[in-house]
Amino acid sequence: MVIYMKKILVIGSLNMDLVVNVAHTPAVGETILTDRMSLIPGGKGANQACAAGRLGADITMLGAVGDDTYGDILIESLKKSGVNVSGIIRRKGENTGIALITVNSAGDNSIVVVSGANATLSCEDIDRHRELLQEADIILFQMEIPAATVRYAAKMAKSLGKTVILDPAPVPENFPDELYRYVDVLKPNETELHMLTKTDRIETRLPEAVGFLKAKGIKNVLVTLGENGVYLDAEDTGVSKIPALKVEAVDTTAAGDSFTAAMAVILSQGKSLKEAAVFANQVSAIVVTRKGAQSSIPFLDEVTEYLSSL
């Protein structure tokens, strides 16, 4: 049976990740030594596009890189993952975005992003690539490009009748409330949910925090909780709790991005958000067992093999 797959568009960031592995995350004023650093293609938008491509989606990336070697590497990585890169803008005189990432021995990461060309992605760029939004069925966003551009593009996507998925990371200091109006599926993690709702003790007040977002007009909220699994409040299936798979985490980089992409891939096949969340949970479980951003993202045959072993 042939499965019709809707077209997916990612609008967002592309970064070169400079990753260092450390025994522990340094405290304020602390200097620590390490003998390992890796250059790995990343950026939340590019990670989502990469994951969708490797999972077999019809996927296009819209974003900006500089006219430097890092930009070349990022575009080539996406091409190899099956992503249409016709929407990637080469910005002369700009540096490609860079993410400085430390990963501790528990697999947890802390990240500082130098936006570079990502900060130049404008509303005018969205207008110039309007045909990409028109051709897509599902459009994914994150917040590593200017919030005004996300708001403008999401509004356009909604006016065109598209399904809009937002991973609200990193949460900007002044999150634009208007953006909620254009989002069909919001996927924060626990920390981002706290930042969006100002709700303390999130682990015991999930329904309250999610209810705050649904009161803003969002019909589907999905919260990733790491080792505590996934909390889903969906328009069609109601509230569900999906347990985490038991794996030994090495590096959580790109796990959330891969989750969002995998969810979009299953939605593109016409399946429910709950089915999409279950599959996304499985994909992200593989990602955390590997190091790096795009270097950790599996291809579809790897996911199939993994699931058959459970």
Side-chain angles (χ1 to χ4, degrees):
M1 181 179 69
V2 176
I3 299 176
Y4 169 71
M5 296 189 69
K6 298 177 180 178
K7 293 179 179 290
I8 301 173
L9 172 66
V10 173
I11 301 178
S13 58
L14 302 98
N15 293 321
M16 179 58 70
D17 291 351
L18 280 61
V19 183
V20 292
N21 293 91
V22 294
H24 63 274
T25 303
V28 175
E30 180 184 12
T31 299
I32 59 177
L33 300 177
T34 184
D35 57 0
R36 287 173 291 166
M37 186 184 81
S38 304
L39 297 179
I40 303 173
K44 299 191 75 63
N47 291 344
Q48 289 179 357
C50 174
R54 292 183 183 180
L55 293 172
D58 184 342
I59 174 72
T60 299
M61 176 84 206
L62 172 53
V65 296
D67 57 347
D68 52 22
T69 302
Y70 288 165
D72 296 335
I73 295 171
L74 288 169
I75 290 173
E76 188 59 29
S77 176
L78 291 181
K79 283 182 180 177
K80 289 180 178 178
S81 299
V83 179
N84 178 348
V85 298
S86 62
I88 298 179
I89 302 161
R90 297 302 298 258
R91 200 73 84 190
K92 290 187 177 181
E94 292 286 346
N95 295 319
T96 296
I98 294 173
L100 309 171
I101 303 174
T102 60
V103 182
N104 66 22
S105 57
D108 296 318
N109 62 50
S110 59
I111 305 173
V112 176
V113 175
V114 182
S115 296
N118 294 308
T120 73
L121 193 67
S122 66
C123 299
E124 291 74 23
D125 291 323
I126 301 302
D127 285 336
R128 281 190 285 269
H129 292 83
R130 182 184 175 91
E131 74 281 357
L132 295 181
L133 283 80
Q134 291 173 323
E135 293 167 359
D137 300 290
I138 299 171
I139 303 180
L140 275 57
F141 295 93
Q142 336 75 42
M143 303 300 295
E144 283 186 335
I145 58 174
T149 304
V150 175
R151 183 176 64 244
Y152 183 82
K155 183 177 182 179
M156 181 185 293
K158 185 46 56 183
S159 72
L160 294 169
K162 310 306 179 181
T163 298
V164 175
I165 299 174
L166 174 65
D167 184 341
V171 176
E173 186 174 348
N174 297 304
F175 188 89
D177 255 26
E178 179 190 346
L179 183 54
Y180 289 123
R181 297 185 219 164
Y182 314 127
V183 176
D184 295 290
V185 182
L186 186 72
K187 191 218 75 69
N189 64 22
E190 201 169 3
T191 300
E192 292 148 8
L193 181 62
H194 165 73
M195 295 176 71
L196 290 170
T197 66
K198 305 297 188 290
T199 303
D200 295 323
R201 302 189 306 279
I202 285 291
E203 65 279 1
T204 59
R205 299 173 67 188
L206 274 170
E208 178 185 341
V210 170
F212 174 90
L213 294 175
K214 297 199 80 173
K216 298 281 186 180
I218 297 179
K219 296 176 180 177
N220 304 283
V221 180
L222 189 153
V223 187
T224 52
L225 303 167
E227 63 183 15
N228 292 317
V230 178
Y231 181 94
L232 171 64
D233 190 332
E235 184 179 27
D236 57 351
T237 57
V239 174
S240 305
K241 295 181 180 178
I242 302 167
L245 298 180
K246 300 301 181 184
V247 296
E248 187 168 341
V250 173
D251 182 354
T252 58
T253 307
D257 303 327
S258 299
F259 186 105
T260 304
M263 177 175 64
V265 170
I266 297 303
L267 291 177
S268 78
Q269 298 174 5
K271 298 181 181 179
S272 72
L273 184 55
K274 184 175 181 180
E275 290 174 295
V278 169
F279 179 73
N281 194 42
Q282 295 162 340
V283 171
S284 60
I286 298 174
V287 173
V288 300
T289 65
R290 302 172 174 183
K291 293 182 180 180
Q294 290 172 33
S295 57
S296 70
I297 297 172
F299 286 84
L300 182 58
D301 58 349
E302 295 177 277
V303 178
T304 302
E305 182 179 349
Y306 174 73
L307 295 181
S308 67
S309 69
L310 294 179

